[in-house]
Amino acid sequence: MARALTRPHPDDLRIALGGLLGGVVLWALRIHPRTASDPLVLWHAAWAPLVPLTVTAACEPLRRTRPRLGVFLGTLALTLDTVTQGNVVTIVMYTDLIYASVLYGDPASARRVPWITGMLTVLGGVVPAAVWRDPQALLIGVGIGVVAFAPAATGWVVRNHRDAAEAARLRAEQTALLAEMDRSQAVTAERSRMARELHDMVANHLSAIAIHSTAALSLDDAQTSRGALEVIRENSVEGLAEMRRLIGILRDSSGDLEPAATPTLDGLAALVKGARANGLDVRLADDHGTVPAPVELAAYRIVQESLTNALKHAVEGPVEVALRQEESMLRVRVTSAYRRDGTPRAPGSGSGLAGMRERAALLGGTFEAGPGTGPDHGRWTVRAALPLDREDLT
């Protein structure tokens, strides 16, 4: 891609002005690298050194914006300077143009200039020495090396350090960006986990409270109302206890409260007992061995949410809960008769099925929920298959 022509950098303008003024001072003091009798001096006019000096100074503002053009014009000016008495400032500014062409030029030019100047340095020393058979002719190559190759090599070293620093900065920015993305994803995942836990712990109790309070308000029978109020009180107390445990986990940075607050499959009997107290005819068939803790929690929450949904949506009839372990898989199955009109007995958030599906997916398992077929025709069926042999579960 062609380099766009931009305004010269202020520092480059200062370099050009300072070099021009310094060269004019040396010219006014008649300080030249060559005398008028030198055989290389072909242009003897007193003002002749000012021409290459001015051209080289005019190239300095191009050192960043158009470095190749600056080197080209500077080379012509330096060639012209060799046939005059010369000016040291012209040579110094030319070395700066070579240095800038490597530092600010495109990558191809940055690689090409050191090779070209190095080759000219070798040829400038070897060829005259071979032709003139004079070892002192090697000094020509030394001069070319000092004026051209040395600044080109310096520019190459500085450019490599600059590119390495820029690459390190970009890597640091990418690392920081990835860390921020990981942090955001971790926060999002933790919020989702907390939302699932809160929903699963509280929804069951609140659904029972809503259903029994509706029954207590709709029936004018003291005994029935008393029974409903007892169920409401029991679910309220249990719901508050669950909330306290969750809040304790969130407030305790040590994590010591988490094991006590994490339910296991041993608690299914108490869960079924509570569902029966809420009016469900639950039948439990539990056949499993040792199960990893994450699978235990997921299976417990799936059964708990399924019973909550049965409490809200099911009609009278048995609710069958079955857990069966098959080699490396724990299968959970909950069936219940459901209301075909879709009218729930208590309102809900609609996130229960999504939460169960997420729990199964996080463990690499499968989840299905919907009207059953075959023997389960006419019943709502929840099926989950949770693997037991994943390495991250141990």
Side-chain angles (χ1 to χ4, degrees):
M1 181 181 294
R3 182 182 296 270
L5 182 62
T6 59
R7 298 180 61 182
H9 194 278
D11 291 343
D12 298 339
L13 295 176
R14 297 187 186 99
I15 292 174
L17 181 60
L20 181 60
L21 293 178
V24 170
V25 169
L26 293 181
W27 172 80
L29 296 176
R30 298 183 182 277
I31 299 177
H32 303 289
R34 291 178 291 276
T35 62
S37 60
D38 193 306
L40 293 177
V41 177
L42 303 178
W43 192 2
H44 295 278
W47 49 268
L50 295 178
V51 176
L53 173 67
T54 304
V55 174
T56 307
C59 292
E60 285 290 354
L62 304 176
R63 63 193 299 273
R64 299 174 199 258
T65 59
R66 299 292 295 274
R68 287 192 294 182
L69 178 60
V71 169
F72 176 73
L73 296 178
T75 302
L76 295 180
L78 184 66
T79 302
L80 182 62
D81 182 77
T82 58
V83 299
T84 68
Q85 287 184 283
N87 194 303
V88 175
V89 177
T90 301
I91 300 175
V92 172
M93 287 194 294
Y94 179 76
T95 60
D96 180 67
L97 293 176
I98 293 291
Y99 168 81
S101 68
V102 177
L103 183 60
Y104 301 114
D106 58 84
S109 298
R111 292 189 298 268
R112 192 180 300 122
V113 171
W115 282 101
I116 295 175
T117 56
M119 183 177 60
L120 291 176
T121 298
V122 173
L123 293 178
V126 173
V127 173
V131 173
W132 298 336
R133 300 182 182 278
D134 186 355
Q136 290 189 351
L138 294 173
L139 294 176
I140 297 176
V142 173
I144 296 175
V146 171
V147 173
F149 178 70
T154 303
W156 177 253
V157 172
V158 174
R159 183 185 181 112
N160 285 340
H161 282 288
R162 185 193 66 181
D163 292 345
E166 180 66 15
R169 184 186 67 82
L170 291 176
R171 284 195 299 270
E173 290 181 354
Q174 293 175 353
T175 301
L177 179 60
L178 291 175
E180 179 63 22
M181 292 175 61
D182 290 341
R183 187 194 68 82
S184 299
Q185 292 175 356
V187 170
T188 301
E190 182 63 15
R191 291 179 63 181
S192 299
R193 186 184 72 85
M194 291 169 54
R196 286 194 302 269
E197 290 296 317
L198 182 61
H199 176 273
D200 292 344
M201 286 193 303
V202 179
N204 182 56
H205 300 299
L206 292 182
S207 297
I209 290 172
I211 293 172
H212 285 83
S213 61
T214 301
L217 291 173
S218 61
L219 298 177
D220 187 13
D221 180 54
Q223 186 64 27
T224 303
S225 298
R226 180 178 179 84
L229 291 175
E230 290 177 353
V231 174
I232 290 173
R233 183 185 182 280
E234 181 181 351
N235 280 277
S236 299
V237 172
E238 292 179 0
L240 287 173
E242 296 280 2
M243 286 292 295
R244 290 192 189 98
R245 285 199 293 267
L246 179 60
I247 293 173
I249 294 173
L250 297 178
R251 287 181 174 175
D252 186 7
S253 59
S254 65
D256 293 338
L257 295 180
E258 186 169 1
T262 302
T264 65
L265 293 179
D266 293 335
L268 284 180
L271 182 65
V272 169
K273 181 180 178 181
R276 288 170 180 166
N278 291 330
L280 291 178
D281 180 14
V282 183
R283 302 173 184 178
L284 175 63
D286 189 1
D287 181 17
H288 66 84
T290 303
V291 177
V295 178
E296 276 197 291
L297 175 61
Y300 181 93
R301 293 303 189 197
I302 289 173
V303 172
Q304 183 182 44
E305 180 60 26
S306 297
L307 293 178
T308 301
N309 289 341
L311 183 63
K312 291 189 294 185
H313 299 280
V315 296
E316 292 185 3
V319 178
E320 298 178 354
V321 178
L323 280 80
R324 187 176 73 259
Q325 184 171 341
E326 297 178 354
E327 296 181 353
S328 61
M329 192 74 67
L330 178 65
R331 300 188 181 276
V332 181
R333 178 174 173 271
V334 182
T335 64
S336 61
Y338 66 99
R339 299 176 184 273
R340 297 183 181 276
D341 57 4
T343 304
R345 299 170 62 189
S349 63
S351 59
L353 293 178
M356 290 189 284
R357 184 172 290 105
E358 288 177 0
R359 288 185 182 277
L362 288 174
L363 297 176
T366 60
F367 176 83
E368 297 177 357
T373 58
D376 294 330
H377 178 70
R379 298 175 61 82
W380 185 269
T381 303
V382 173
R383 292 188 181 91
L386 308 177
L388 304 175
D389 56 353
R390 287 182 49 171
E391 294 182 358
D392 54 352
L393 299 178
T394 58

